[in-house]
Amino acid sequence: MGYEITMFYVALSNVTQNIKRVAMRVKKGGHNIQTEDILRRNKTSFDHLYQFAHMINNLVIVDNSQDDGEIILEINNGMITFEAKSLPEWVLPVKEQFKF
C-alpha cells in the first residue's frame, strides 16, 4: 500500500504583493519577514512546485492575488481536471508538464 499526496498550492502573481502584504501585517502588529527572505522563498517555492508537481496525486493550485483566492488549476492522477479561463504566467510550467 502506498501513499496518496494532495497539495493545495497558494501563490500570488507577483512577489511585490507578498512584500506589501507582509508590510501591512507588520503595521497591524504582526511579525515581519525580511524582503530578501520573501524573495528567496518565493523563488524556492516555485522551483519546488515545478520540480515535484509530477509526484503529487491531487494538486489544487490557488491564485491568491485578489481578495478571494481563486482555484485556477486542478490536476488529479496526472490529468488536468480543471483549468480557469485565464491562467497567470507562473502556473504555465506546471500546466505544460501535464499536456498530452
Side-chain angles (χ1 to χ4, degrees):
M1 184 183 328
Y3 294 91
E4 184 170 298
I5 300 170
T6 298
M7 173 189 271
F8 288 82
Y9 187 88
V10 181
L12 300 173
S13 289
N14 188 317
V15 70
T16 304
Q17 289 178 291
N18 296 51
I19 295 165
K20 288 179 180 177
R21 287 185 181 185
V22 169
M24 285 190 304
R25 181 176 66 215
V26 170
K27 285 182 182 180
K28 294 178 181 179
H31 71 282
N32 187 36
I33 300 173
Q34 296 298 316
T35 298
E36 56 269 12
D37 290 335
I38 295 170
L39 295 170
R40 177 182 47 79
R41 291 174 185 175
N42 186 72
K43 180 184 180 331
T44 301
S45 179
F46 282 125
D47 288 348
H48 286 163
L49 175 64
Y50 303 150
Q51 183 178 358
F52 299 113
H54 70 280
M55 299 173 69
I56 302 166
N57 303 97
N58 306 296
L59 177 58
V60 178
I61 301 180
V62 178
D63 183 355
N64 202 30
S65 300
Q66 303 302 316
D67 289 337
D68 294 330
E70 175 189 3
I71 294 174
I72 56 171
L73 191 66
E74 288 186 43
I75 300 165
N76 301 100
N77 299 312
M79 303 284 294
I80 295 174
T81 56
F82 173 78
E83 180 179 340
K85 291 179 184 175
S86 178
L87 295 176
E89 288 284 322
W90 59 264
V91 80
L92 298 180
V94 175
K95 179 185 171 187
E96 289 299 314
Q97 292 184 42
F98 297 94
K99 284 181 99 173
F100 295 119

